[in-house]
Amino acid sequence: QKEVEQNSGPLSVPEGAIASLNCTYSDRVSQSFFWYRQYSGKSPELIMSIYSNGDKEDGRFTAQLNKASQYVSLLIRDSQPSDSATYLCAPQRGSQGNLIFGKGTKLSVKP
Amino acid sequence: DVKVTQSSRYLVKRTGEKVFLECVQDMDHENMFWYRQDPGLGLRLIYFSYDVKMKEKGDIPEGYSVSREKKERFSLILESASTNQTSMYLCASTPGRDYGYTFGSGTRLTVV
């Protein structure tokens, strides 16, 4: 089983729609979870963190965490063409504390 | 804003050369990391450090070493560069265990 699994995409959504990005992880001890956005040719940029089960909202972004199912997701409301990027899920490794990155989901928002 | 600076954006080196990649952060962060990113393989952890003069191996440390003599600086060393070390190298820092990382802009290294 891979440590972090994400659908590679591309996920294509029309402008104004909700984009839903999903991630599963294998480390049951993980306590902290992060979402990064990476534009082509750029380095990853932190956009959301979540530590407790449930939803966390920040502007157009909502992160959802279910530790029992080892599942974390990111919703982007009112998607814009500028949201087109690769989104990386990164749970914290329970034993060492460093982040394990998924390979990312490529999102394309069509005008 | 936290700034993580990597000394070179692009680097071309010859096989067998010793290569130094430098990373400096300006926010007194305790923890620093080196990753490489390759198409289809994602981000893979090479080495990390939670304190000055401390280092821990990540998932792919072979062929690499690191140095952290000062808190703000974390250097990645390729002892004898090989073509399979051609990659994008990303440095990151964080103030503590449960915080997200801030990444540098990356160094694209080509070994010929």
Side-chain angles (χ1 to χ4, degrees), chain A residues 21-93:
Chain A
L21 307 165
N22 305 315
C23 171
T24 58
Y25 61 93
S26 63
D27 187 347
R28 292 188 171 276
V29 186
S30 293
Q31 294 296 319
S32 304
F33 304 85
F34 304 89
W35 282 98
Y36 285 80
R37 176 176 62 200
Q38 187 173 25
Y39 292 113
S40 181
K42 301 292 187 182
S43 57
E45 171 192 12
L46 179 66
I47 55 172
M48 286 289 286
S49 59
I50 187 165
Y51 306 97
S52 304
N53 283 329
D55 295 0
K56 178 182 177 182
E57 188 174 316
D58 184 1
R60 295 187 296 113
F61 298 101
T62 298
Q64 299 174 316
L65 175 61
N66 183 326
K67 291 183 183 178
S69 300
Q70 294 173 250
Y71 174 87
V72 60
S73 67
L74 180 70
L75 301 177
I76 306 174
R77 289 182 300 282
D78 187 25
S79 294
Q80 301 297 309
S82 58
D83 294 326
S84 298
T86 297
Y87 289 81
L88 306 174
C89 169
Q92 184 184 60
R93 201 173 254 152

Side-chain angles (χ1 to χ4, degrees), chain B residues 10 24 26 33 45 48 75-76 88 90 94-95 102 109:
Chain B
Y10 298 96
V24 177
D26 66 359
F33 307 84
L45 180 63
F48 60 102
S75 303
L76 180 69
M88 171 65 84
L90 290 159
T94 182
T102 299
L109 173 67

